[in-house]
Amino acid sequence: LPIWMGINVVTGNTLEEIEQMGIVPEGYNDYRYDYAEEWTSVLKVLWSQEKTDHKGRFFKLTNCVSAPKPRQKPYPLIVSAGTSDEGLRYGAKHSDYQFIGVRPEEINKVRAFAAEEGRSIKIATNIFILPANTDAEAEAEFAKIREELDHEALENLIASFDRDHRDSYGKRTSWLR
């Protein structure tokens, strides 16, 4: 059987998540998709050419080699999850799958952006299955899960969204609440 591999490109769900590692450059929140764009473009070249030179805003490569090359051609699957216009455009240009969920507006946007790039993109979502003998039993279990929700953890997550001041967080915060 062939071995399949994919890469999930994450520019940072929240800055707090990556700041704890001490690797966030100054102003990163303002150019994170520019960084991901250049990184992904360089990665694709490294995966498909023997050697490469690159002089960009973030990466400077001279006679750079990446070996062994991936078995998947032209390269492994790429997945991303941004729901802002920048995130959707990044996915449309580079990703094979975009995690969006069941959000028709974003699905239509990313597909339109992909068409502008001469590409198509698949949509991925999370599914929560709660098996039970009856619908009533499943609904009762779901009510219990909601009752036991860790509200402090939820508020901490929402506070980290609010702190980053990203346009896409309003919808996410509303949905979480």
Side-chain angles (χ1 to χ4, degrees), residues 3 28 31-32 36 46-47 56-57 111 130 137 146 156 159 167-168:
I3 297 173
Y28 176 75
Y31 62 80
R32 63 196 177 101
L46 288 169
W47 280 340
R57 178 176 171 192
R111 286 186 171 153
L130 188 59
E137 287 177 16
R146 287 192 310 267
N156 286 338
D167 293 339
S168 62

Side-chain angles (χ1 to χ4, degrees), residues 68-172:
K69 304 291 186 221
R71 289 176 60 185
Q72 289 167 254
K73 302 297 178 203
Y75 38 76
L77 294 173
I78 297 175
V79 179
S80 58
T83 58
S84 66
D85 279 3
E86 280 182 310
L88 295 173
R89 285 192 181 279
Y90 170 85
K93 184 171 184 178
H94 291 289
S95 299
D96 300 290
Y97 289 87
Q98 187 80 2
F99 284 115
I100 295 177
V102 185
R103 296 182 175 119
E105 181 181 332
E106 284 87 357
I107 291 170
N108 292 335
K109 268 189 187 182
V110 76
R111 286 186 171 153
F113 293 156
E116 289 172 14
E117 296 286 338
R119 302 181 73 238
S120 62
I121 189 167
K122 296 179 177 122
I123 306 304
T125 188
N126 295 329
I127 295 176
F128 177 66
I129 298 175
L130 188 59
N133 290 325
T134 66
D135 287 348
E137 287 177 16
E139 288 293 333
E141 183 64 23
F142 189 48
K144 183 178 173 186
I145 291 169
R146 287 192 310 267
E147 287 171 19
E148 295 174 0
L149 179 69
D150 185 341
H151 291 280
E152 182 180 356
L154 177 64
E155 291 306 319
N156 286 338
L157 176 62
I158 290 170
S160 67
F161 287 168
D162 291 342
R163 182 184 148 254
D164 293 346
H165 306 292
R166 294 183 184 160
D167 293 339
S168 62
Y169 285 168
K171 287 181 190 175
R172 291 172 69 187

Side-chain angles (χ1 to χ4, degrees), residues 61-72:
L61 309 176
T62 303
N63 209 21
C64 190
V65 174
S66 177
K69 304 291 186 221
R71 289 176 60 185
Q72 289 167 254

Side-chain angles (χ1 to χ4, degrees), residues 16-72:
E16 190 173 44
E17 289 175 340
I18 53 179
E19 284 173 342
Q20 65 184 327
M21 295 178 235
I23 59 171
V24 181
E26 184 69 33
Y28 176 75
N29 200 40
D30 298 326
Y31 62 80
R32 63 196 177 101
Y33 281 107
D34 294 337
Y35 186 93
E37 164 81 27
E38 186 174 336
W39 180 82
T40 306
S41 296
V42 166
L43 190 59
K44 287 177 175 180
V45 170
L46 288 169
W47 280 340
S48 59
Q49 296 179 8
E50 286 305 311
K51 295 181 182 180
T52 191
D53 293 330
H54 175 85
K55 289 185 179 34
R57 178 176 171 192
F58 306 105
F59 300 93
K60 314 281 189 267
L61 309 176
T62 303
N63 209 21
C64 190
V65 174
S66 177
K69 304 291 186 221
R71 289 176 60 185
Q72 289 167 254

